[in-house]
Amino acid sequence: MAADKTSTPAPATTTAAATAPAPTPAPTPVPVQNATHQAGGGVSGETRKVKTLSPVLLSYLQKIYKSHAARDKTWHPDETAAFIKLVQGEDADAHAHAGEKWDFDAFLHYMTSSTTNITAPPQSQDLSYPLSSYFISSSHNTYLTGNQLSSAASTDAYKNVLLRGCRCIEIDVWDGDDSDSEADSDTSVSSSDEEEAAGGTARSSKRKSTVGMVKDKIPSSIIDRLEKTSLGKKLDKYVADKEKPETTTAGAATAATPATGTAAIPTANNLTNERGGDSASIISSTSLRKQSSAKEPRVLHGYTLTKEVSFRDVCVAIRDNGFVASDLPLIVSLEVHCGPEQQEAMVNIMDQVWEGLLLKEPSGDPEALPTPGALKNKILVKVKYVAPDQLQGPPTPPDQLDGAVVGAGDPNNSSISAATAAADAKKAKKPSKVIQALSKLGVYTRAVSFKSLEQPEASMPSHIFSLSENGVIEVHEKSRRELFDHNKKFLMRAYPSGLRIRSSNLDPAVFWRKGIQIVALNWQNWDEGMMLNEGMFAGTGGYVLKPAGYRYEITKTQTPLSAAPTTSPTPTPATSAHPPPSQSSPSPPPPQATAVHHYTMDLTLEILAAQSLPLPPGDTNPNSFHPYLKVEVHVEEPGERHGTDPVPAGGKEKSGEYKARTKSHKGCDPDFKRQELKLKGIPGVVPELSFVRFMVKDDQTLGKDELVAWACVRVDKFREGYRIVHLLDARDGMETEAVLLVRVGRKLVG
């Protein structure tokens, strides 16, 4: 691997951090212009250098240089080559200065350059596989700047995630009039079609449980505001109205078809309007509203206290920022809650604003998915698929959108039961709620409501299923092989549960291991999920090629995949993407256990020192700061891999089995005294899907230890030898000058 190719190595500046840095104020939204230095989408894979050295780090580097020097206390070409090859594990022949004599200044230049970053430098990716063969960096409810209930929608949220490398964003679009901001008092509340058939007692229990779980997660200040709105009253009525039969349901918002220039009042699926979340739906008994033609569609989280933003402004933000950080294709996932007239407005706005970027309708149905390389600088619209012969109906309720079955996998619901499948079959011929002109924009990302992995659309190359995190877990437990095989050839999206009011995140690695390409996360929150997303996509442009066993391999007899579509008939009901196995055949091992090679890993980390660590919020005295380093390895649990254990609730794997920590020290430039952390015999390691997290915490005498800085590295990019770990701020994910000096020993067996 090549080092920085400068003709004359320049010495690094050596300055002591004699005084503590100024305290950082309370967290505030990161300015858009700084988003390129914010983590989440892979900033840690970029070139970073150490600008200054504290006395502690400098002294360790002096000792390292002396320990490998010749008798004359310098490095001749032999010493230099031996250090690079034997200690650092690099190819000495490919190193720019391996055959040179190094004095201490030259060694300092090497150690402070990007060459010694613990994360391997970005490599050019093979972009010749179909889209289904890549993990894609993705955002959930992108428009929100905070929690799912009361935060604002903003174009800056789109600018932020796009400049950080996100390649799949979400837009919830509503009618542009003001009539549905506070529904009339004559509105009624109903549950989903499936719940209506379940009976009053069970429905009442589900309703109370759902509303109770949601309210438990909402701050009391917001509850007080909520109770004064019509939504709060509807929730109370939703629980109390348990036996009254409803004439209007989420599956049929109104019996009347909207007249020209009018639209049905959109519904909302529980407080957070999550597709496939808990089954509360709020529907107006006044089925039609006059739309103002002067109003354009708006973006917001429906029936919550979130603030709105113009759909046109969002499209402009996407146009201006969508291909700054990456030229790889951008997927725009549309949640359509508006009527036909405003859907036409959506199409016109996208055609105008995204001219030259928007992927147009092909001449025929795609026969296969194209490659990312063939779609550079293109916007792919993900929108509900409407067959050409399907009629148009009223707007789609939220619980029917985004390819989710009502209550898919969420508590107290069964998304793939026989009753649900039968109900869906009866509704198959009902009019579409999305107009043809909008649906046609979904070329290679046609959203299809999930019923089963054997439904006819499951063999349509351009379909994409969307499931909540609990929906994925339910399908995995019942059809793990079929799920894994489906995701080799076709696209799937997973998104957080509707109960994550505070915008917390699922564990994305659990869903990547199911082969799911698009795992949507709340980018405005800093937690384990976003750290793993940073580790996965570091230096990649937002697309990561799956391990070989996770992707669909093209044989010589198959037609190469390209962006040019060819005509292919829509699958008939007799077509099955995954025929059921023979009843007499033995059950094969789970695909996660056999698709790729699993290793056993021994990891040894020698922690030398750190410098320029940020102080905890509100702390101005370095002497009261007692940092320690915690290291945690994220790998697949044996029970999940072999199918003996269910995936834990929430998709989060067991914590703490493979972790270690240092002793606590004092100040922003701590000397960890070469403390050794050993993690031996870690099983089930797939390097491309396993991660090492570094977390610097403040050792608190009372209360929870506070995270101040972190880094996350994918195991296949984790480099041996003396390495610099560049740390990110725990409050906002921004790059810092904080670094760790460590020595890494790693062994993979198997």
Side-chain angles (χ1 to χ4, degrees):
M1 186 195 66
D4 295 342
K5 294 182 180 292
T6 52
S7 56
T8 305
T13 306
T14 58
T15 60
T19 59
T24 303
T28 56
V30 174
V32 171
Q33 61 268 27
N34 294 334
T36 54
H37 300 286
Q38 192 177 18
V43 68
S44 57
E46 298 177 0
T47 299
R48 293 292 309 279
K49 297 182 179 181
V50 180
K51 297 178 181 178
T52 62
L53 289 171
S54 69
V56 176
L57 252 69
L58 181 61
S59 67
Y60 274 116
L61 294 177
Q62 289 172 333
K63 293 174 183 177
I64 294 169
Y65 181 81
K66 290 179 181 178
S67 67
H68 293 276
R71 291 185 178 182
D72 59 359
K73 300 182 180 180
T74 191
W75 285 18
H76 299 283
D78 287 346
E79 283 76 25
T80 303
F83 178 81
I84 292 171
K85 182 178 180 179
L86 301 179
V87 178
Q88 300 295 85
E90 300 172 19
D91 184 356
D93 294 335
H95 199 283
H97 304 289
E100 300 176 6
K101 180 179 179 180
W102 281 11
D103 59 14
F104 182 61
D105 282 346
F107 173 69
L108 278 186
H109 178 265
Y110 166 79
M111 287 301 302
T112 57
S113 72
S114 61
T115 307
T116 55
N117 192 338
I118 196 167
T119 303
Q123 303 291 329
S124 59
Q125 272 201 101
D126 184 351
L127 299 175
S128 64
Y129 284 85
L131 288 173
S132 58
S133 296
Y134 297 84
F135 298 119
I136 303 171
S137 185
S138 308
S139 164
H140 171 251
N141 286 353
T142 311
Y143 47 88
L144 292 180
T145 57
N147 68 61
Q148 301 291 304
L149 185 64
S150 63
S151 64
S154 171
T155 57
D156 280 351
Y158 288 94
K159 297 174 186 176
N160 178 276
V161 302
L162 289 170
L163 292 175
R164 290 158 64 191
C166 184
R167 304 319 293 159
C168 181
I169 56 177
E170 185 175 13
I171 312 177
D172 284 16
V173 192
W174 295 77
D175 283 325
D177 61 355
D178 297 325
S179 61
D180 59 358
S181 58
E182 285 291 344
D184 295 341
S185 59
D186 62 351
T187 57
S188 63
V189 181
S190 75
S191 60
S192 68
D193 291 341
E194 288 78 10
E195 276 196 306
E196 288 303 316
T201 303
R203 186 167 66 251
S204 174
S205 175
K206 291 178 184 179
R207 290 177 174 184
K208 289 178 181 179
S209 174
T210 295
V211 173
M213 284 190 290
V214 170
K215 285 189 173 183
D216 286 344
K217 293 175 177 288
I218 302 174
S220 58
S221 60
I222 297 178
I223 285 288
D224 293 339
R225 292 168 57 194
L226 181 66
E227 289 174 348
K228 298 176 183 178
T229 68
S230 63
L231 177 57
K233 297 175 183 177
K234 291 170 193 171
L235 282 173
D236 294 336
K237 188 175 182 181
Y238 167 67
V239 174
D241 203 12
K242 59 183 178 298
E243 295 183 353
K244 179 180 178 182
E246 301 292 345
T247 57
T248 306
T249 70
T254 176
T257 301
T260 304
T262 63
I265 297 299
T267 65
N269 180 29
N270 76 43
L271 277 177
T272 57
N273 187 28
E274 292 295 337
R275 290 71 58 210
D278 300 287
S279 305
S281 296
I282 302 166
I283 303 177
S284 173
S285 61
T286 306
S287 62
L288 301 178
R289 290 270 187 177
K290 180 69 177 176
Q291 285 188 342
S292 170
S293 59
K295 295 283 187 178
E296 288 190 338
R298 54 190 177 144
V299 178
L300 72 154
H301 205 175
Y303 291 100
T304 67
L305 301 175
T306 59
K307 309 304 184 294
E308 66 186 62
V309 66
S310 157
F311 177 70
R312 180 180 291 274
D313 289 346
V314 168
C315 290
V316 170
I318 292 169
R319 177 197 66 193
D320 294 345
N321 300 275
F323 299 99
V324 174
S326 173
D327 63 356
L328 296 180
L330 174 65
I331 300 172
V332 176
S333 179
L334 294 179
E335 290 288 354
V336 183
H337 303 259
C338 50
E341 181 180 325
Q342 297 248 298
Q343 290 184 40
E344 289 282 3
M346 288 174 60
V347 173
N348 292 334
I349 290 170
M350 288 186 284
D351 279 339
Q352 294 167 12
V353 177
W354 295 344
E355 184 178 5
L357 300 174
L358 186 61
L359 193 67
K360 294 295 184 179
E361 178 191 4
S363 57
D365 286 337
E367 192 176 60
L369 287 173
T371 69
L375 297 175
K376 286 186 175 181
N377 296 301
K378 289 297 180 183
I379 293 175
L380 281 66
V381 174
K382 173 187 168 291
V383 66
K384 185 177 178 63
Y385 173 64
V386 179
D389 58 350
Q390 194 170 353
L391 298 176
Q392 178 191 313
T396 305
D399 53 1
Q400 303 284 320
L401 285 166
D402 200 20
V405 173
V406 176
D410 280 343
N412 305 314
N413 284 288
S414 175
S415 63
I416 54 177
S417 65
T420 300
D424 286 330
K426 291 179 180 179
K427 294 188 294 181
K429 297 300 183 182
K430 287 192 174 183
S432 167
K433 285 79 176 177
V434 174
I435 65 173
Q436 279 284 348
L438 180 56
S439 177
K440 287 179 179 179
L441 295 182
V443 179
Y444 299 111
T445 45
R446 295 171 172 174
V448 174
S449 296
F450 178 82
K451 302 174 185 65
S452 79
L453 292 169
E454 296 179 2
Q455 68 190 80
E457 297 90 345
S459 62
M460 185 171 69
S462 57
H463 84 274
I464 177 170
F465 289 139
S466 287
L467 291 168
S468 70
E469 56 183 284
N470 295 323
V472 171
I473 292 170
E474 182 178 339
V475 174
H476 170 72
E477 289 176 352
K478 295 182 179 181
S479 308
R480 52 174 47 92
R481 174 166 292 280
E482 291 80 5
L483 176 66
F484 192 87
D485 289 344
H486 170 277
N487 294 337
K488 283 185 176 183
K489 293 184 66 175
F490 308 110
L491 291 171
M492 182 173 282
R493 175 177 177 265
Y495 56 87
S497 164
L499 296 179
R500 294 184 181 272
I501 300 295
R502 298 180 185 271
S503 298
S504 63
N505 282 305
L506 48 79
D507 182 343
V510 171
F511 300 88
W512 290 326
R513 290 195 290 267
K514 310 296 179 287
I516 296 175
Q517 300 85 359
I518 301 173
V519 181
L521 299 177
N522 294 306
W523 285 49
Q524 68 273 36
N525 194 26
W526 294 103
D527 56 16
E528 178 181 312
M530 281 305 295
M531 294 181 193
L532 295 175
N533 204 67
E534 171 68 24
M536 169 61 84
F537 294 102
T540 65
Y543 281 69
V544 171
L545 185 63
K546 292 180 180 181
Y550 277 72
R551 58 182 186 251
Y552 179 59
E553 299 291 348
I554 306 169
T555 65
K556 292 182 179 180
T557 59
Q558 292 172 312
T559 303
L561 299 172
S562 68
T566 56
T567 302
S568 176
T570 303
T572 62
T575 304
S576 175
H578 304 286
S582 170
Q583 297 295 324
S584 61
S585 61
S587 178
Q592 283 181 241
T594 59
V596 293
H597 193 79
H598 291 73
Y599 297 88
T600 297
M601 181 172 73
D602 290 340
L603 182 64
T604 302
L605 295 168
E606 188 179 348
I607 314 302
L608 284 73
Q611 70 175 31
S612 304
L613 297 178
L615 287 169
D619 194 347
T620 60
N621 183 9
N623 291 326
S624 65
F625 178 35
H626 296 87
Y628 67 88
L629 176 65
K630 179 181 178 181
V631 177
E632 191 166 287
V633 179
H634 294 257
V635 296
E636 184 178 12
E637 295 290 339
E640 180 197 350
R641 181 168 70 257
H642 296 293
T644 58
D645 296 339
V647 178
K652 188 177 177 63
E653 291 289 17
K654 299 175 185 176
S655 176
E657 192 165 353
Y658 309 114
K659 67 180 182 181
R661 57 157 288 180
T662 66
K663 296 178 181 178
S664 300
H665 294 272
K666 182 185 290 188
C668 296
D669 301 321
D671 181 355
F672 289 108
K673 304 185 183 300
R674 304 190 83 134
Q675 183 174 347
E676 195 170 65
L677 304 179
K678 292 184 177 182
L679 294 164
K680 299 287 188 179
I682 303 173
V685 175
V686 178
E688 302 93 331
L689 293 169
S690 303
F691 303 86
V692 179
R693 272 202 304 159
F694 295 86
M695 294 167 284
V696 177
K697 294 189 173 186
D698 183 22
D699 196 348
Q700 301 278 356
T701 304
L702 298 174
K704 185 178 180 180
D705 294 349
E706 187 157 17
L707 180 68
V708 297
W710 61 274
C712 184
V713 186
R714 215 167 68 200
V715 169
D716 64 325
K717 292 189 168 188
F718 201 78
R719 299 201 291 172
E720 296 184 72
Y722 288 101
R723 298 295 169 186
I724 297 293
V725 182
H726 291 272
L727 298 172
L728 298 153
D729 196 301
R731 289 163 290 192
D732 55 16
M734 293 295 291
E735 293 177 332
T736 71
E737 297 302 322
V739 299
L740 291 165
L741 175 61
V742 301
R743 185 175 185 179
V744 178
R746 188 195 66 177
K747 184 179 180 181
L748 292 172
V749 179

